[in-house]
Amino acid sequence: MEVLLRGGPGSGQVVPATGETALWRTCLYQRTGDWGHAQGRDLRVYDHRPDCCEPFGRGAEDRCE
């Protein structure tokens, strides 16, 4: 399934994802209950996790590895 990323450096990107999280480059995005419209389709929105994105570190304390 493809999802829409919101926030962070990947905002607006449409990427494949399965489960609760999506990875775009070195950034983690987490599934929300929201839907957005992109590329003529309604897509599930995944929000940016700044604690799991370079250059913020990988959030080892939050188990983002």
Side-chain angles (χ1 to χ4, degrees):
M1 133 177 108
E2 290 189 312
V3 301
L4 177 63
L5 304 181
R6 178 171 62 192
S11 190
Q13 297 290 322
V14 175
V15 300
T18 58
E20 296 293 318
T21 59
L23 185 64
W24 183 81
R25 296 192 181 178
T26 61
C27 294
L28 187 65
Y29 288 77
Q30 193 164 21
R31 185 169 69 177
T32 69
D34 298 340
W35 292 85
H37 192 76
Q39 299 179 352
R41 300 177 288 164
D42 289 327
L43 301 168
R44 170 83 62 188
V45 173
Y46 278 52
D47 275 342
H48 180 240
R49 293 265 316 258
D51 59 324
C52 296
C53 188
E54 299 290 349
F56 298 103
R58 294 289 294 170
E61 308 81 36
D62 197 24
R63 301 182 189 192
C64 294
E65 294 297 328

